[in-house]
Amino acid sequence: RQVTVQRKEKDFQGMLEYHKEDEALLIRNLVTDLKPQMLSGTVPCLPAYILYMCVRYADNTNDDLKVHSLLTSTINGIKKVLKKHNDDFEMTSFWLSNTCRLLHCLKQYSGDEGFMTQNTAKQNEHCLKNFDLTEYRQVLSDLSIQIYQQLIKIAEGLLQPMIVSAMLENESIQGLSGVKPMGYRKRSSSMADGDNSYCLEAIIRQMNCFHTVMCDQGLDPEIILQVFKQLFYMITAVTLNNLLLRKDVCSWSTGMQLRYNISQLEEWLRGRNLHQSGAAQTMEPLIQAAQLLQLKKKTREDAEAICSLCTSLSTQQIVKILNLYTPLNEFEERVTVSFIRTIQAQLQDRNDPQQLLLDSKHMFPVLFPFNPSSLTMDSIHIPACLSLEFLNEV
Amino acid sequence: SVQRPRPRVLLKAPTLAEMEEMTTSEEEESP
């Protein structure tokens, strides 16, 4: 991606002068009416840098009402855009990137030494002079959490319809269709019919799309990692919950296909350099469920192997899967009651959670670590397409 | 010796929820 950063003349001090009566136009052109596509090819998070340079001007002129008014209008403008585009991943990601960047700028240029360790001498010249905006930083942080939650909701809404068919029903391993459980060979669930059928590739395509958008918009890498940890948890929860409720997918062949699908997702995480996100760890119960379907379930040794392997599944979940387990053919036996009792006896000391199903709506707490920018304010160029001619470089 | 900058004045900000209330009441007032 090309970045348009031009070295400006030496006397530009990285401030943007504006008149109070132009504030509404500024917010309209830069926030409420802005389309992220207009800024392709410019520096990521350009609106945040422009807004900071306006805040700095108001600070420099010691005009507290102007600072207050600009930040309030900005926050309200962002909230308005998010409300209007509450199902638009690109727009939501764009404003998450910019809100976080504005928050980082208010820290980086706060004058607080703790946030200035990576600043250049030039950047230190661009610090706020008169006002402490700690309280506004808290508001922007709260807003960032709201936007993050909206982003996750949109992403989950796009992925949700694909999960069951892609993870449990679609057969990409050749030859597996012939080894479906007895009585289920020709059955396909209502979700897998017609247009509602998805393969794993669809999930991967969708996640590629999410990742590309967030990277292009300059969203902090630590936030991107948290987004994927959350999405992988949701995929795991939805898949495992379905497995725990559906006899037809509790089979050796589904276990085999499921393990293959999970390894594809793990491979995708590595390929996108997201393996340190903790996303793969959230899939652990699902990995164990897939292995449980494939393990032998007959002898005391088999029971011991299952108990030592399935540490991320509760006793209730293990027993449920064993009860639902459906033999592939007449040569494979059902799991016996005594085998299940052996498992229960071995696991009786475990302090397991009581609920059978995972909470697919659970959200991990999000963190927005401080991420200073190496960009210097006086290097930022405002493209004509933003119609901000009324801003004067100071 | 390094001259220490004078302390900055803390700008009080409403919370996000308070901002929400203010915007809602403004919207209700305007036809």
Side-chain angles (χ1 to χ4, degrees):
Chain A
R1 174 177 181 147
Q2 266 201 331
V3 172
T4 314
V5 179
Q6 291 176 0
R7 182 61 54 187
K8 302 299 288 184
E9 296 190 10
K10 272 186 183 167
D11 57 353
F12 177 36
Q13 300 166 60
M15 278 186 274
L16 292 170
E17 179 192 18
Y18 69 99
H19 300 291
K20 178 73 185 76
E21 55 270 28
D22 287 330
E23 183 196 278
L25 186 59
L26 170 67
I27 298 302
R28 193 186 328 141
N29 291 356
L30 194 58
V31 183
T32 46
D33 288 358
L34 184 71
K35 292 181 174 57
Q37 301 82 352
M38 284 162 66
L39 294 179
S40 61
T42 66
V43 57
C45 300
L46 183 62
Y49 292 115
I50 295 174
L51 287 163
Y52 174 70
M53 287 191 282
C54 294
V55 170
R56 201 177 146 234
Y57 173 78
D59 168 82
N60 205 260
T61 53
N62 205 8
D63 190 339
D64 58 331
L65 291 177
K66 204 167 180 177
V67 174
H68 171 78
S69 179
L70 178 60
L71 286 172
T72 306
S73 302
T74 300
I75 291 160
N76 285 333
I78 294 171
K79 289 178 64 147
K80 195 174 162 188
V81 176
L82 291 166
K83 201 171 171 184
K84 190 174 168 189
H85 299 274
N86 64 1
D87 59 351
D88 184 334
F89 184 88
E90 192 178 356
M91 190 65 102
T92 307
S93 166
F94 179 81
W95 283 108
L96 180 57
S97 311
N98 277 283
T99 306
C100 288
R101 180 47 59 199
L102 182 57
L103 175 60
H104 296 324
C105 283
L106 293 185
K107 287 178 177 170
Q108 185 174 2
Y109 297 106
S110 62
D112 182 334
E113 285 174 13
F115 293 125
M116 291 164 66
T117 53
Q118 293 177 59
N119 282 4
T120 61
K122 189 79 185 162
Q123 285 179 317
N124 282 339
E125 288 174 21
H126 294 161
C127 283
L128 299 170
K129 203 168 72 175
N130 292 304
F131 300 120
D132 173 348
L133 301 180
T134 309
E135 290 199 3
Y136 277 99
R137 294 206 309 250
Q138 185 57 51
V139 181
L140 286 172
S141 174
D142 293 346
L143 179 60
S144 301
I145 293 172
Q146 277 191 3
I147 309 174
Y148 175 83
Q149 288 168 341
Q150 177 166 316
L151 188 76
I152 294 294
K153 198 169 157 232
I154 297 168
E156 287 184 347
L158 290 164
L159 286 174
Q160 186 104 31
M162 305 177 188
I163 297 173
V164 174
S165 65
M167 295 295 287
L168 291 173
E169 295 171 342
N170 192 270
E171 289 157 2
S172 60
I173 303 175
Q174 284 196 340
L176 261 194
S177 55
V179 283
K180 290 290 273 183
M182 284 194 305
Y184 291 107
R185 231 160 253 172
K186 287 182 183 156
R187 183 188 187 279
S188 69
S189 93
S190 56
M191 275 302 290
D193 289 339
D195 292 338
N196 290 328
S197 176
Y198 295 94
C199 56
L200 191 71
E201 193 53 39
I203 288 188
I204 288 177
R205 251 198 318 272
Q206 186 61 71
M207 288 201 297
N208 275 331
C209 176
F210 293 151
H211 190 240
T212 304
V213 166
M214 292 188 288
C215 289
D216 285 354
Q217 292 176 341
L219 186 60
D220 295 325
E222 293 82 359
I223 302 179
I224 297 180
L225 293 178
Q226 293 174 79
V227 167
F228 284 106
K229 181 183 175 186
Q230 185 64 52
L231 295 180
F232 271 65
Y233 169 79
M234 196 268 297
I235 292 172
T236 296
V238 171
T239 309
L240 186 62
N241 287 349
N242 267 270
L243 190 75
L244 288 164
L245 296 172
R246 276 178 55 180
K247 197 174 163 69
D248 64 310
V249 290
C250 281
S251 67
W252 177 87
S253 59
T254 306
M256 177 99 166
Q257 180 68 54
L258 180 57
R259 188 65 192 94
Y260 176 74
N261 290 343
I262 295 166
S263 63
Q264 295 289 102
L265 292 175
E266 289 170 319
E267 186 64 32
W268 181 83
L269 285 172
R270 279 191 292 274
R272 289 268 170 168
N273 215 12
L274 296 165
H275 48 286
Q276 73 278 40
S277 62
Q281 285 75 3
T282 67
M283 291 195 292
E284 197 52 37
L286 199 55
I287 294 170
Q288 292 180 8
Q291 288 168 330
L292 176 56
L293 293 173
Q294 293 176 84
L295 283 170
K296 285 186 187 162
K297 306 163 188 66
K298 203 169 180 185
T299 64
R300 173 163 281 279
E301 289 73 32
D302 297 341
E304 277 169 16
I306 286 171
C307 293
S308 59
L309 179 87
C310 297
T311 50
S312 298
L313 291 172
S314 67
T315 308
Q316 207 187 353
Q317 289 167 334
I318 296 169
V319 169
K320 180 79 175 172
I321 292 171
L322 292 174
N323 271 320
L324 289 179
Y325 185 78
T326 311
L328 288 172
N329 51 42
E330 58 270 33
F331 304 110
E332 194 186 352
E333 292 168 23
R334 288 201 67 82
V335 182
T336 61
V337 174
S338 72
F339 183 83
I340 292 174
R341 292 224 174 100
T342 308
I343 293 269
Q344 282 172 317
Q346 288 197 20
L347 297 178
Q348 64 183 347
D349 295 335
R350 274 205 201 170
N351 196 13
D352 282 335
Q354 283 309 299
Q355 75 277 14
L356 174 70
L357 302 179
L358 293 185
D359 177 9
S360 62
K361 303 274 181 244
H362 168 76
M363 285 272 287
F364 295 106
V366 63
L367 293 170
F368 301 111
F370 175 52
N371 180 15
S373 168
S374 57
L375 269 182
T376 314
M377 292 300 155
D378 60 1
S379 68
I380 288 167
H381 166 71
I382 303 176
C385 65
L386 285 176
S387 307
L388 299 173
E389 300 79 17
F390 54 88
L391 297 178
N392 295 315
E393 293 180 348
V394 179
Chain B
S1 67
V2 182
Q3 204 185 357
R4 293 194 70 80
R6 66 188 170 87
R8 294 165 179 82
V9 178
L10 178 71
L11 274 199
K12 300 297 283 179
T15 64
L16 200 55
E18 285 164 350
M19 274 191 198
E20 180 93 48
E21 277 172 28
M22 283 188 273
T23 335
T24 315
S25 56
E26 275 167 26
E27 278 169 7
E28 280 168 3
E29 278 168 29
S30 61

